[in-house]
């Protein structure tokens, strides 16, 4: 599976695409933990009080697992594409 | 079939008129349409330019800022001699010079909860070309409440994002993507982050393209898709975007039923259920 990071999150990680090799039964939480393990600075930007910050959007193959699946417990396909977005406001 | 187009217009818009899917009917639709562009800055400049060139008959432009020298690196509707002038005046002058078919309505003001509904009333499409979350959420909520299509664009350094909220059955809205604004300072703005001047041009021209497609009723808009471009690596990512049934504004049981329900402070927090 692969993470795609946008805007300041990609800058913090120093890259936009991060491929992960996780077990078959990995969840969104596992993918987040693996991401933070590799890029510890991201955690402070993405998490607020131990949870995904309200303003950060996490998508699994284009859908929000917190709205449509099991949130952190959502199971991921081996080829899942995960995205982390902050809103941007420049105009 | 001229659909009321005069000789000068047949000449001016000839490349539209000979184009399948625009033609005289599409051009007449553009001339009879109205668009409100909120923000006459980096995004708003190309949007105003292309919508005016296309012959959008009534163009509202909203901005309360004056032109500064630091704007000119990206806000291409303004020039050196406009420094210090109201952006809406400078933009209106550009349109008058470009296309006399376009009636410009200038609004030298900041969109606020007490004027948003009145401001967008009567426009076919609203374009969010602003530079702050407060106005973005306010426009989104007003457009959902009035079922007005909204074009969204935003930029950050070398990156931009753009989508269209058609307000058709099942369309998502901006709050489906981001329920509320980030805490102040969490995401740097253009003034602190910088922006490559051409990036709002890229995003703004896509917004103008989307608006024209809506007005001529042709093609597929970005409704349900968030288009991200990174000009540094020339990477384009299209992320599907779905309506959130729990969305505070367009969801099944919305907490927001009037602009007055929302406190449009820095975080634009919608009331909890």
């Amino acid at each position: 599976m692969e993470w795609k990071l946008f805007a300041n999150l990609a800058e913090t990680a120093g890259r936009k695409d991060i491929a992960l090799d996780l077990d078959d039964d990995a969840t969104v939480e596992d993918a987040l933990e693996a991401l933070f393990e590799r890029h510890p600075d991201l955690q402070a930007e993405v998490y607020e009080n131990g949870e995904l910050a309200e303003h950060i959007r996490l998508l699994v193959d284009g859908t929000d697992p917190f709205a449509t699946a099991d949130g952190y417990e959502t199971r991921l396909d081996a080829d899942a594409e995960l995205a982390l977005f902050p809103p941007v406001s420049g105009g | 079939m001229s659909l009321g187009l005069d000789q000068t217009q047949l000449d001016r818009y000839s490349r539209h008129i000979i184009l399948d899917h625009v033609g005289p009917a599409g051009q007449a639709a553009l001339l009879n349409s109205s668009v409100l562009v909120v923000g006459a800055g980096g995004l708003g400049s190309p949007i105003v330019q292309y919508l005016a060139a296309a012959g959008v008959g009534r163009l509202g432009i909203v901005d309360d800022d004056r032109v500064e020298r630091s704007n000119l690196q990206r806000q291409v509707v303004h020039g050196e001699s406009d420094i210090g002038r109201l952006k809406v005046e400078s933009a209106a002058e550009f349109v008058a010079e470009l296309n006399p078919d376009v009636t410009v309505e200038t609004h030298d003001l900041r969109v606020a909860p007490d004027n948003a509904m009145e401001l967008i009333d009567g426009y076919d499409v609203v374009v969010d070309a602003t530079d702050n979350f407060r106005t973005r959420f306010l426009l989104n909520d007003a457009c959902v409440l009035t079922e007005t299509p909204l074009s969204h664009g935003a930029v950050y350094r070398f990156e931009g994002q753009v989508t269209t909220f058609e307000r058709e059955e099942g369309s998502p809205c901006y709050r489906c993507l981001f329920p509320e604004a980030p805490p102040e300072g969490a995401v740097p703005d253009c003034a602190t982050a910088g922006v490559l001047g051409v990036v709002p041009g890229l995003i703004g021209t896509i917004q103008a393209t989307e608006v024209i497609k809506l007005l001529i009723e042709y093609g597929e808009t970005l409704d349900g898709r968030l288009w991200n471009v990174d000009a540094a690596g020339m990477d384009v990512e299209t992320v599907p975007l779905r309506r959130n049934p729990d969305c505070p504004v367009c969801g099944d049981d919305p907490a927001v039923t009037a602009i007055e329900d929302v406190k449009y402070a820095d975080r634009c927090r919608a009331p909890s259920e």
Side-chain angles (χ1 to χ4, degrees):
Chain A
M1 59 204 70
E2 186 176 45
W3 277 106
K4 289 195 179 295
L5 307 177
F6 293 86
N8 54 319
L9 304 182
E11 287 166 7
T12 299
R15 53 191 303 168
K16 296 180 69 71
D17 306 312
I18 294 150
L20 297 178
D21 199 11
L22 297 182
D23 294 340
D24 279 353
D25 58 351
T27 62
V28 165
E29 189 163 25
D30 297 331
L32 279 165
E33 277 174 11
L35 177 69
F36 296 149
E37 203 168 294
R38 223 184 279 183
H39 299 282
D41 293 349
L42 269 177
Q43 189 157 359
E45 292 204 36
V46 171
Y47 268 29
E48 204 173 53
N49 306 324
E51 286 203 67
L52 202 62
E54 285 272 8
H55 66 277
I56 300 286
R57 197 86 277 114
L58 185 156
L59 299 176
V60 177
D61 294 323
T63 59
D64 182 344
F66 295 90
T68 59
D70 303 325
Y72 296 107
E73 303 307 316
T74 306
R75 293 287 166 102
L76 300 172
D77 292 337
D79 60 351
E81 190 176 295
L82 297 101
L84 271 180
F85 284 91
V88 296
S89 74
Chain B
M1 191 171 69
S2 72
L3 286 158
L5 301 172
D6 65 28
Q7 273 308 316
T8 311
Q9 290 174 327
L10 289 170
D11 188 16
R12 173 182 284 273
Y13 306 114
S14 56
R15 301 303 189 275
H16 273 169
I17 287 162
I18 59 167
L19 179 63
D20 282 352
H21 308 298
V22 185
Q27 189 58 53
L30 290 169
L31 287 161
N32 287 323
S33 64
S34 58
V35 177
L36 184 71
V37 181
V38 184
L43 294 167
S45 288
I47 294 165
V48 165
Q49 289 174 327
Y50 276 100
L51 295 184
V56 167
R58 192 161 69 91
L59 202 52
I61 307 175
V62 187
D63 205 307
D64 70 339
D65 273 347
R66 288 177 184 271
V67 179
E68 296 174 29
R69 185 168 281 109
S70 64
N71 300 151
L72 303 181
Q73 156 260 22
R74 64 196 181 284
Q75 303 186 14
V76 294
V77 81
H78 314 297
E80 177 82 15
S81 63
D82 296 316
I83 292 170
R85 298 178 70 199
L86 284 170
K87 288 186 179 177
V88 288
E89 279 178 16
S90 167
E93 200 172 277
F94 179 96
V95 174
E97 168 63 20
L98 175 63
N99 191 346
D101 288 342
V102 181
T103 303
V104 177
E105 295 166 347
T106 58
H107 303 278
D108 161 28
L109 51 82
R110 183 159 280 259
V111 182
D114 62 359
N115 65 25
M117 299 296 277
E118 194 185 346
L119 201 58
I120 70 172
D121 186 46
Y123 286 100
D124 298 323
V125 183
V126 172
V127 186
D128 176 359
T130 64
D131 62 358
N132 64 88
F133 288 116
R134 182 188 157 95
T135 313
R136 291 184 184 284
F137 282 95
L138 183 49
L139 283 177
N140 177 73
D141 298 350
C143 285
V144 171
L145 293 170
T146 57
E147 297 182 8
T148 308
L150 174 68
S151 161
H152 165 80
V155 294
Y156 176 84
R157 293 189 168 151
F158 288 82
E159 287 175 65
Q161 61 174 222
V162 55
T163 188
T164 304
F165 304 115
E166 286 201 38
R167 301 269 42 87
E168 294 293 318
E169 185 78 34
S171 277
C173 81
Y174 187 57
R175 281 196 196 267
C176 296
L177 180 61
F178 298 114
E180 62 183 75
E184 204 164 352
V187 181
D189 63 17
C190 277
T192 49
V195 62
L196 190 72
V198 69
V199 170
L202 273 169
I203 298 298
T205 45
I206 291 174
Q207 289 184 273
T209 311
E210 290 284 280
V211 171
I212 289 168
K213 279 158 42 186
L214 282 172
L215 296 173
I216 65 172
E217 297 180 9
Y218 179 71
E220 294 283 330
T221 69
L222 287 168
D223 193 57
R225 291 180 286 165
L226 182 73
W227 206 84
N228 291 275
V229 61
D230 172 16
M234 232 42 202
D235 296 317
V236 174
E237 290 281 342
T238 309
V239 179
L241 190 57
R242 300 209 172 83
R243 178 175 161 272
N244 176 5
D246 299 326
C247 174
V249 189
C250 78
D252 296 336
D253 184 19
V256 177
T257 54
I259 292 293
E260 292 74 33
D261 293 345
V262 186
K263 226 173 124 42
Y264 292 94
D266 301 321
R267 292 202 71 167
C268 314
R269 192 183 287 273
S272 45
E273 311 262 348

